[in-house]
Amino acid sequence: MNAHTPITAALPFAVPSSRWDESVAGKLSPAELLLYRSNLLGGDLTVTNFGGGNTSAKLEEVDPLTGEKVEVLWVKGSGGDIGSMKLDGFATLYQAKLLGLEAHYAGPDDDDKMVGFLPHCTFNLNGRAASIDTPLHSLLPFAHVDHVHPDAIIALAASSGGEAATQEIWGGKIGWLPWKRPGYTLGVMLRDYVKANPQVEGVMLAGHGIICWADSAKACYEHTVQLIADAANYLNAKLGSAPAFGGQKVAPNPDRAAIAADLMPRLRGFMTGARQKLGHFSDDAEALEFTGSVDFERLAALGTSCPDHFLRTKIAPLTLDPARLQDDAYLAQKIADYREMYAAYYERCKRPNSPAMRDSNPVVVLVPGVGRITFATDKTTARLAGEFYGNAINVMRGAEAIGDYIALDEQEAFDIEYWLLEEAKLQRMPAPKPLVGKIALVTGGAGGIGAASAARLLREGACVVLADRAADAVEEVRAGFAKQFGKDVVRAAVCDVTDEAQVQAAIDVAAREFGGLDILVANAGIASSAPIEETTIELWNRNYDVLAQGYFLTARAAWPLMKRMKEQGGSSVVFIGSKNGVAAATNASAYASAKAAANHLARCLALEGAPHGIRVNTVNPDAVIKGSKIWDGDWRKERAGAHGIDSGKELEEHYRQRSMLKRDVLPEDIAEAVYFLGSDMSAKSTGNMINVDAGNAQAFTR
Ligand SMILES: [Zn+2]
């Protein structure tokens, strides 16, 4: 959306069409056809949201024990996403055993117990766990079954006018079941409903989604797509050309990206808890349409409807007044109020055996004219929560076009959120990596030490902004890390550390893209070599601009964000210094004295930062030649000249032999020290230097 575009008409629902390709499908086995159909449905975001729904087929297989043919239910297993899943994402279960389970079922109180029987029905030792939706598929007597939650369908399912609209659109071919939380009981209700209404070709599940079926994979896929298209076309006609949600009250603010960059670290600072939060900002069309509308406050208070949406976005979003964003006391109070509201919800709804209350901070924060900010313990979860809230906005738009939007009942919502089996799943999750929740910025991020440091932090779970003045190089490093660590966790910023505005812009990237800054690695550097009489004022200034002033500018710009993290374990600045900042160097007075200035700057900042929980430490490398841009050009020749040796291999051997330990110093060695100083392993250390130089007595600190 253009920055200034006013919202004049409701966003329409996407109308999907069949993407079935018989030249592909014709070659597939029955199980592969199920996968093909699932990927087609899940890969089309107009059909269903991320991870949304599940698909199944009842196929004939040979029993490995008896050699006899048996009917096996292939159904999307627990977790994963139907759009990207592979064949191993399906659970396989003996259909006869699944049907036999009903002998253990006495009523709705048995839902949890029934989940425990599912693994006993496993066919062929398949390790994929069956999902809670399995009974929906096993109890229906149809060969192919799809269950999806596209926005247009949930809009019908979550509207007071939904049942009438379902009748109007499909004339009795699609049935309607009132809300029931997913589980065995819903499967029984559905099976009985279909038996009593044999004309139906699918059933709307109120507050949730749709389930439908057919005799072949292709027919089932095309049936599902057609139902979604029918719903979308119907809603689009009802929405007409008027703006949604009662019309626009607050226009999109053209400065919203800058506002988000300013706001996010402050919100993040107030969200105290076990771990720091990662933020995700979006000013997509849905967010601006909804937050700027007349009906915004009324609808936002209702929360989301579909269980998938609700689980990602919490009971309700936090809404902020755009006129008061500069007021810290207001923001702190709003978050405190939210936490209190959440605790009250927990107290009202908890049952005797409910798990303990979880994190009470808001996940979704909405600001009229600015957009939607989501917070979670990792970046991908924060992004997905935002996307799910975008889906919820679509649902509300459609639901309100045909009646009143109906959110999930509070107790029902609680029972899903604090479901005991969900808690068991959470307890089984591996402990997060040490830097999950931390945000780092590395200057000179495209170079040897910078990229190695960034990789080390990424590997331990941090999100990283790579700042470098070389635009192509930094983008290349970012793309490589995106492949290795995931696209969500790394960003690039073009930044010359001698330029105040560019430094601020890079810090703003950390704020807007991730929500703040916990670890600053000031690494961007240059090197020069010249005897004092040949050191020009330009050369002198160049060294001081990058190595002293550059470190000052990055630390100063990072400071306000880092101060915000005092209550959450503090933050860490790591300066990449040099052996030459401690030990005198021949013919490098500009470089070495500028490095010494940076080293002392670190100590001054350690003193000044301590009351704010900011630690400042220095790593002093020496002779890190591999991967270094500094060592590519003249510096290599100059240093070789200064030592009276050849600039090729001899130089590396020279440095190796010069070290006390007779070892090469690699970028990865420096990165290890950066990781130590950036992480809580060094939580009690500030104002220190760590030499990573394979031993150099001249550089011993004293
Ligand atoms: Zn569902």
Side-chain angles (χ1 to χ4, degrees), residues 387-429:
E387 290 173 11
F388 273 91
Y389 201 83
N391 292 122
I393 291 170
N394 290 335
V395 166
M396 289 186 268
R397 183 192 315 108
E400 289 274 308
I402 57 168
D404 291 328
Y405 166 69
I406 301 168
L408 204 54
D409 170 77
E410 183 181 83
Q411 185 65 53
E412 288 291 324
F414 180 89
D415 288 345
I416 292 171
E417 186 175 1
Y418 284 91
W419 190 38
L420 286 172
L421 297 178
E422 194 66 34
E423 174 73 8
K425 214 174 1 175
L426 291 177
Q427 297 296 343
R428 281 198 302 271
M429 296 218 320

Side-chain angles (χ1 to χ4, degrees), residues 47-49 52-53 147-151 153-154 208-210 306 308-309:
V47 174
T48 196
N49 51 279
H147 163 56
V148 289
H149 327 112
D151 296 347
I153 292 288
I154 313 174
H208 183 167
I210 196 166
C306 179
D308 262 26
H309 296 180

Side-chain angles (χ1 to χ4, degrees), residues 160 335 544:
S160 63
I335 288 175
Y544 274 76

